[in-house]
């Protein structure tokens, strides 16, 4: 079977075919551009997620360090107050010793830490008893006997020589 097509119709079909090919090529270019844009957007999103995770980790680390520093600051403040109290007690003792011209002082320790300083052994024992030490709990070690570790002794009075210039 033969079909006759006019030249004008053939030219119109070829023109439509060329337009369809151009539309197809434009669509392929648009698709490739969209695909590239989607890949770039995904890469940017992944980078931002990594940066967000790192920022979150940094924030947590900073919060832990700040909490640790705050704890250290609190401990240092408490220690500073204790040191100030100790210095004041020592100054008061030295003033008392200078007035009395004593050659010894009696230092009261509680669990190995300085509690107070006194001009006499009896005054040191009385101060410990005021803080709850048992009245009959005082013992004397024989000369040359080894002392138990300081942190194991609830209350200890120790005589120390005093050198006043």
């Amino acid at each position: 079977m033969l079909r006759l097509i006019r030249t004008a119709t053939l030219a119109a079909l070829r023109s439509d075919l060329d337009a369809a090919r151009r539309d197809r090529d434009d669509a392929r270019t648009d698709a490739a551009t969209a695909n590239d844009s989607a890949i770039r957007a995904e890469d940017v999103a992944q980078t931002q997620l990594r940066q967000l995770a790192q920022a979150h980790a940094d924030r947590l680390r900073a919060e832990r360090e700040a909490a640790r520093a705050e704890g250290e600051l609190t401990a240092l403040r408490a220690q500073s107050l204790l040191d100030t109290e100790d210095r004041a007690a020592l100054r008061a003792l030295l003033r008392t010793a200078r007035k009395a011209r004593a050659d010894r002082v009696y230092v009261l320790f509680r669990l190995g830490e300085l509690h107070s300083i006194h001009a006499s052994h009896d005054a040191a024992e009385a101060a410990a008893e005021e803080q709850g030490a048992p009245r009959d709990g005082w013992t004397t070690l024989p000369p040359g006997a080894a002392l138990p570790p300081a942190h194991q002794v609830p209350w200890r009075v120790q005589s120390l020589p005093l050198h006043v210039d």
Side-chain angles (χ1 to χ4, degrees):
M1 177 165 140
L2 282 176
R3 188 169 202 183
L4 294 177
I5 298 178
R6 293 186 325 189
T7 306
T9 303
L10 183 60
L13 286 175
R14 284 189 179 150
S15 173
D16 289 347
L17 179 61
D18 288 341
R21 285 183 179 155
R22 278 193 305 276
D23 289 345
R24 181 201 62 199
D25 291 343
D26 289 345
R28 283 184 180 166
T29 302
D30 290 345
T33 302
N35 190 34
D36 290 345
S37 294
I39 290 172
R40 280 193 305 276
E42 186 177 346
D43 289 345
V44 167
Q46 287 176 354
T47 300
Q48 288 178 340
L49 283 174
R50 280 193 300 275
Q51 290 172 345
L52 180 62
Q54 182 63 42
H56 181 69
D58 291 345
R59 182 183 60 85
L60 290 176
R61 188 177 313 108
E63 286 175 355
R64 281 193 306 270
E65 289 175 7
R68 181 184 51 79
E70 184 66 30
E72 288 177 3
L73 180 60
T74 301
L76 288 174
R77 283 182 181 152
Q79 184 61 44
S80 174
L81 289 174
L82 289 174
D83 291 346
T84 302
E85 290 174 0
D86 288 348
R87 281 192 296 276
L90 286 172
R91 274 191 232 106
L93 174 66
L94 286 173
R95 279 193 299 274
T96 303
R98 284 183 186 130
K99 288 178 186 175
R101 296 280 186 219
D103 63 341
R104 302 197 79 62
V105 291
Y106 297 87
V107 181
L108 178 61
F109 292 96
R110 182 171 191 181
L111 296 173
E113 298 212 7
L114 174 69
H115 181 271
S116 56
I117 302 172
H118 303 274
S120 71
H121 192 275
D122 292 336
E125 285 183 2
E129 290 168 359
E130 286 176 10
Q131 295 293 319
R135 293 189 187 278
D136 59 350
W138 301 101
T139 60
T140 304
L141 295 174
L147 295 174
H151 69 279
Q152 293 179 356
V153 180
W155 294 97
R156 175 184 289 168
V157 176
Q158 187 171 346
S159 173
L160 297 175
L162 179 64
H163 299 286
V164 180
D165 295 328

